[in-house]
Amino acid sequence: DFPSSLAQQAWAYANDSYRTTLCVQFRPKVLACAAIYLAARQLGVRLPEGEVGAWWELFDCDRDPIMAVSTGILGLYQLPKAKWVNVRGDAKAESAEKDKEKKPDSKSSEAAGVGGEAMAALAAALAAEKGLIKTDEGLAAGKKDKAAGAESEGGESDKTAGGRR
């Protein structure tokens, strides 16, 4: 059911955010909004924005910190999977941990339906939305802007009088 899956996915993102330093950099309400935002994007749920105000204003948050936290959480999924290291030398604990590695954790974001390909697509969409990367349309617009700028400068290059940039 829709509200349950959104809540479960947001909870998974919130849990995963604690593997980063975001919890000491931002207020809890910003982390919660970022988790809701990412879950909604993952599930294709449109959150309200309109004349009355954006959904994040209900939490007294701004968009930019939410996007920064969202980017930080998604960056976590680009890291290699953490591995458990037995520092005590306890063979029983090591055997139990190896058994645990074989079974997927039902609370992890991977078990909640967030696979590597889905995370990469979500990260790319978020980066494009924030302007961190250029889409094909953005690249074409950038080339037009650059050409227009060169024409307005009389076709001169970027070099200074001394020949340096």
Side-chain angles (χ1 to χ4, degrees):
D1 111 276
F2 158 67
S4 174
S5 60
L6 181 67
Q8 183 179 9
Q9 188 63 47
W11 188 263
Y13 281 119
N15 265 345
D16 289 349
S17 75
Y18 286 109
R19 293 183 55 213
T20 69
T21 59
L22 294 168
C23 61
V24 295
Q25 296 173 315
F26 295 93
R27 294 188 170 277
K29 61 185 179 181
V30 176
L31 291 170
C33 285
I36 292 167
Y37 172 76
L38 289 172
R41 292 287 307 256
Q42 178 69 29
L43 297 171
V45 175
R46 188 162 176 81
L47 297 171
E49 291 183 46
E51 294 175 17
V52 177
W55 66 273
W56 58 80
E57 291 174 354
L58 294 171
F59 297 92
D60 193 29
C61 291
D62 293 323
R63 185 177 192 276
D64 290 340
I66 293 170
M67 293 298 122
V69 170
S70 298
T71 302
I73 293 171
L74 291 177
L76 177 65
Y77 302 116
Q78 305 303 315
L79 299 175
K81 187 173 180 174
K83 294 189 178 188
W84 181 78
V85 177
N86 182 6
V87 294
R88 293 185 352 198
D90 184 1
K92 185 176 180 182
E94 188 170 345
S95 174
E97 188 59 33
K98 285 182 181 178
D99 289 343
K100 187 178 176 184
E101 285 178 4
K102 293 178 184 176
K103 300 176 189 174
D105 181 10
S106 63
K107 295 179 183 173
S108 74
S109 58
E110 243 180 64
V114 183
E117 292 174 7
M119 290 308 324
L122 186 58
L126 181 61
E129 184 176 304
K130 286 184 65 178
L132 295 176
I133 61 172
K134 299 266 185 184
T135 60
D136 291 339
E137 297 85 24
L139 288 173
K143 289 177 184 175
K144 288 178 188 174
D145 292 343
K146 198 173 199 179
E151 289 174 11
S152 68
E153 294 176 8
E156 294 180 19
S157 69
D158 291 341
K159 294 182 181 178
T160 63
R164 295 181 304 254
R165 287 185 175 243

